[in-house]
Amino acid sequence: MDQNPYRRRSSPIRTPTGGSKSIDCSQLLPEKFLSFSTMKLTRTFTTCLILFSVLVAFSMIFHHNPSDPNRIMGFAEARVLDAGGFYNVTTIDSKESNKLLGGLLASGFNEASCLSRYQSVFYRKPSPYKPSPYLISKLRNYEMLHKRCGPGTESYKEALKKLDQEHTDGFGECKYVVWVSFSGLGNRILSLASVFLYALLTDRVLLVDRGKDMDDLFCEPFPGMSWLLPLNFPLTDQFDGFNQDSSRCYGYMVENKVIDNEKTLSYIYLHLVHDYGDHDKMFFCEGDQTLLGKVPWLIVKTDNYFVPSLWLISGFDDELNKLFPEKATVFHHLGRYLFHPTNQVWGLVTRYYEAYLSHADEKIGIQVRVFDVGAGPFQHVMDQISSCTQKEKLLPEVDTLGERSHQVKTPKHKAVLVTSLNSGYSENLKTMYWEYPTTTGEIIGVHQPSQEGYQQTEKTMHNGKALAEMYLLSMTDNLVTSAWSTFGYVAQGLGGLKPWILYKPENRTAPDPACGQAMSMEPCFHAPPFYDCKAKTGIDTGKLVPHVRHCEDMSWGLKLV
């Protein structure tokens, strides 16, 4: 329907007989002919004027350049551009791509139910590390598998029936790996990412034991189906009792030669905790993976980031190379895919960020984890922090004599975020930069969100604050972490940061050098196996391939570089 009141169809002039025919202009009187021509000219002029006004309006819209090019109303997703001809060329909405982390995240979630999933991208610099198309495809396929086999589905119900049997003749449509909630929050995050990668490699469905607080800390990462193990899972009551001496522990069965290769067990327990023995470590042998691949249910208890050793299993090598062409990006991608803080935790993150960090020109994160016994703060740790941050030009020196202070017209503002169980280290930094001017004229603000005093693994609010601080650290521009700390590993991986690592002090003496920059942002595997599965002898697994090396902060550990 034509909405323009000025453009109306001209009605035919009716004849006395009621028919319609065209007018013969030669039959009109001269006055009527002049009047008709004038009206026609007027209508033509009016129509042209309206069309011209519309074209001018469209031209102004398309050439307007607002501060945010993605916020042009009605034209955010597609525009007609001059491509040297009359072709319709559309541009991809980069804002949507950024929100989904380059395709890493699935769309379609209720955004209000988990604000962090799509908002975290606005609090960090864009990551230079892009997920591979193969990883994106693998994740979408996994999501379909999880939806088909997850809790409550017919496949899940059928698989549950096999747990009542000693042996099974197959695993049906779906196989499962159950991650048991165990250890501190940093360890849990790293170990869960490891088990998820193992699930991707072996086409298993990951189910998560919620423990005390997993459902309070993290949103569901998979669309349409929960990753949480149902509360009525038959083996849940046995989780705490599973250990190296359990009859269904794989290491125990290997050591005691009770595995029957002709019969498949309905489930096996994998003990991959830091205290595991040589027979438990056979998990990392390709031949053992063949046997485990037939078992429908695997129950895993671990506090390790065992990803580096998965790269040493030849059967996984090709798949891992396709998933992660940039080898040192495993946790960076999987961590941002899996771990989205709940709205309560995300509120802690965003409120603190906006209040103390958002207006700074540069943000420096300092994560302090002290393993010494006794009440801190310790002077040697404070000396180490000062030495590292000043030598690496992360923080300026102070002018204690008042002779070299600079008056800068527009001083640079640096916000220092300190996370520690003890408030003494941030207080010392705050006092130093309050009492003395910096030699560079920079303004230094020091902030510490919490001072919990000691680690309280079983308390939900304590863990909520810890998770919030990991995320805040991941939003900084430069990061300093403590040796051996999984807390720091999580922050650096989520943020895509190569931190400066404070080396572990010995005999309460600050080491020299105080710190060194990490080879990669990947976490360290603290308790790797040193065994050649084919030669059946001990070997240095940190020297087998160039991309798996010993860690900077733990000489026997392994990490991807």
Side-chain angles (χ1 to χ4, degrees):
M1 180 178 179
D2 193 348
Q3 299 295 324
N4 191 337
Y6 298 99
R7 273 186 310 206
R8 294 185 181 151
R9 295 186 179 93
S10 56
S11 302
I13 299 177
R14 299 186 179 275
T15 65
T17 59
S20 299
K21 67 177 183 179
S22 299
I23 296 298
D24 184 353
C25 292
S26 64
Q27 298 175 1
L28 296 174
L29 295 174
E31 293 84 2
K32 291 182 178 180
F33 175 78
L34 180 61
S35 176
F36 180 84
S37 299
T38 303
M39 291 172 63
K40 185 175 181 180
L41 182 62
T42 301
R43 283 201 303 269
T44 302
F45 176 78
T46 303
T47 301
C48 292
L49 183 61
I50 293 170
L51 289 173
F52 178 76
S53 301
V54 171
L55 288 173
V56 169
F58 270 81
S59 176
M60 291 177 67
I61 291 174
F62 278 104
H63 288 86
H64 182 57
N65 185 26
S67 60
D68 186 350
N70 288 326
R71 292 183 181 176
I72 301 177
M73 293 181 63
F75 300 95
E77 296 185 2
R79 299 180 183 179
V80 179
L81 303 176
D82 181 4
F86 298 97
Y87 301 101
N88 287 332
V89 181
T90 58
T91 58
I92 298 174
D93 186 354
S94 60
K95 185 176 181 180
E96 182 71 13
S97 177
N98 290 338
K99 186 176 77 169
L100 299 178
L101 303 180
L104 188 70
L105 304 181
S107 60
F109 283 95
N110 179 350
E111 297 190 22
S113 67
C114 184
L115 297 173
S116 66
R117 188 190 317 276
Y118 299 129
Q119 286 185 4
S120 61
V121 66
F122 302 120
Y123 290 84
R124 299 192 188 105
K125 292 181 179 179
S127 172
Y129 309 102
K130 306 304 178 185
S132 70
Y134 189 78
L135 174 60
I136 293 172
S137 175
K138 190 80 171 181
L139 292 174
R140 299 295 87 82
N141 288 335
Y142 174 82
E143 289 160 3
M144 290 188 289
L145 174 68
H146 195 93
K147 192 171 184 179
R148 190 169 66 249
C149 300
T153 62
E154 290 303 317
S155 297
Y156 175 79
K157 293 174 184 177
E158 287 298 316
L160 276 185
K161 295 177 182 178
K162 299 182 184 301
L163 285 174
D164 295 331
Q165 308 167 13
E166 180 73 15
H167 298 91
T168 179
D169 56 359
F171 50 77
E173 183 185 12
C174 309
K175 297 185 296 182
Y176 300 84
V177 56
V178 177
W179 172 87
V180 177
S181 184
F182 174 73
S183 194
L185 182 59
N187 297 70
R188 281 189 280 165
I189 291 173
L190 297 179
S191 66
L192 182 49
S194 304
V195 175
F196 177 64
L197 178 57
Y198 179 71
L200 288 181
L201 294 171
T202 57
D203 296 320
R204 290 183 179 272
V205 175
L206 170 69
L207 295 177
V208 173
D209 167 35
R210 65 192 73 203
K212 300 288 185 182
D213 56 9
M214 289 299 291
D215 52 343
D216 294 320
L217 297 175
F218 300 105
C219 303
E220 297 278 359
F222 311 132
M225 182 62 66
S226 177
W227 69 339
L228 294 174
L229 188 70
L231 294 173
N232 61 353
F233 184 69
L235 301 179
T236 302
D237 292 340
Q238 302 179 40
F239 286 169
D240 289 342
F242 279 145
N243 57 45
Q244 290 171 285
D245 297 322
S246 299
S247 61
R248 285 293 187 95
C249 177
Y250 186 67
Y252 174 88
M253 290 189 287
V254 171
E255 183 177 11
N256 293 280
K257 299 180 175 60
V258 296
I259 293 179
D260 187 344
N261 291 324
E262 301 299 323
K263 296 180 180 180
T264 301
L265 291 170
S266 57
Y267 79 90
I268 283 179
Y269 165 64
L270 298 170
H271 187 82
L272 303 180
V273 184
H274 65 274
D275 64 353
Y276 63 162
D278 292 338
H279 294 96
D280 299 301
K281 295 175 185 178
M282 298 300 288
F283 167 82
F284 296 104
C285 293
E286 185 172 1
D288 296 73
Q289 281 299 319
T290 301
L291 187 150
L292 291 170
K294 302 175 184 177
V295 180
W297 289 92
L298 297 179
I299 315 297
V300 183
K301 186 183 289 185
T302 179
D303 55 358
N304 278 307
Y305 182 73
F306 58 75
V307 167
S309 286
L310 294 179
W311 286 79
L312 303 180
I313 301 174
S314 56
F316 294 155
D317 193 52
D318 289 342
E319 186 77 357
L320 285 167
N321 284 322
K322 288 189 291 184
L323 289 169
F324 303 101
E326 294 180 280
K327 295 175 175 61
T329 62
V330 176
F331 183 74
H332 180 59
H333 292 319
L334 295 187
R336 294 187 306 157
Y337 173 75
L338 288 173
F339 303 112
H340 309 290
T342 57
N343 286 352
Q344 181 183 11
V345 177
W346 188 241
L348 297 176
V349 175
T350 56
R351 287 191 294 273
Y352 200 90
Y353 184 93
E354 296 296 343
Y356 300 105
L357 305 178
S358 61
H359 302 298
D361 298 305
E362 185 179 350
K363 296 176 283 293
I364 311 296
I366 302 177
Q367 181 261 332
V368 184
R369 178 73 164 95
V370 178
F371 294 94
D372 290 330
V373 177
F378 298 103
Q379 186 59 47
H380 67 279
V381 176
M382 192 65 232
D383 293 342
Q384 184 181 9
I385 294 170
S386 298
S387 175
C388 173
T389 54
Q390 293 177 14
K391 182 179 179 181
E392 301 298 336
K393 308 300 182 184
L394 300 174
L395 292 176
E397 297 181 10
V398 294
D399 181 10
T400 57
L401 301 178
E403 297 176 349
R404 296 181 295 164
S405 60
H406 292 268
Q407 296 295 326
V408 180
K409 186 175 182 180
T410 308
K412 184 177 182 180
H413 177 203
K414 286 187 176 182
V416 182
L417 175 72
V418 179
T419 65
S420 175
L421 294 172
N422 191 299
S423 63
Y425 304 105
S426 65
E427 290 298 328
N428 284 339
L429 281 173
K430 189 180 298 184
T431 299
M432 179 175 70
Y433 286 113
W434 181 33
E435 292 181 349
Y436 302 103
T438 61
T439 57
T440 59
E442 294 171 305
I443 304 300
I444 309 299
V446 182
H447 314 282
Q448 181 171 347
S450 70
Q451 308 90 31
E452 296 290 284
Y454 61 96
Q455 189 169 348
Q456 304 165 55
T457 300
E458 299 299 320
K459 289 191 176 181
T460 300
M461 193 59 195
H462 173 85
N463 286 329
K465 292 178 180 178
L467 179 58
E469 291 184 354
M470 290 178 194
Y471 260 78
L472 285 167
L473 287 171
S474 76
M475 296 170 179
T476 58
D477 300 303
N478 289 295
L479 181 61
V480 178
T481 62
S482 296
W484 297 20
S485 175
T486 56
F487 193 108
Y489 295 161
V490 172
Q492 70 195 41
L494 292 176
L497 303 168
K498 295 179 182 178
W500 281 265
I501 303 174
L502 297 169
Y503 297 128
K504 191 172 183 296
E506 299 292 340
N507 300 319
R508 297 201 172 187
T509 302
D512 186 17
C515 64
Q517 191 165 22
M519 295 180 285
S520 76
M521 58 187 168
E522 274 288 292
C524 179
F525 181 10
H526 285 173
F530 293 95
Y531 186 72
D532 187 327
C533 298
K534 293 181 179 178
K536 298 188 183 302
T537 185
I539 193 172
D540 186 350
T541 48
K543 295 182 179 180
L544 295 179
V545 294
H547 51 276
V548 177
R549 301 182 192 171
H550 290 298
C551 308
E552 306 89 344
D553 56 331
M554 185 174 282
S555 60
W556 60 88
L558 296 181
K559 73 179 296 183
L560 286 165
V561 299

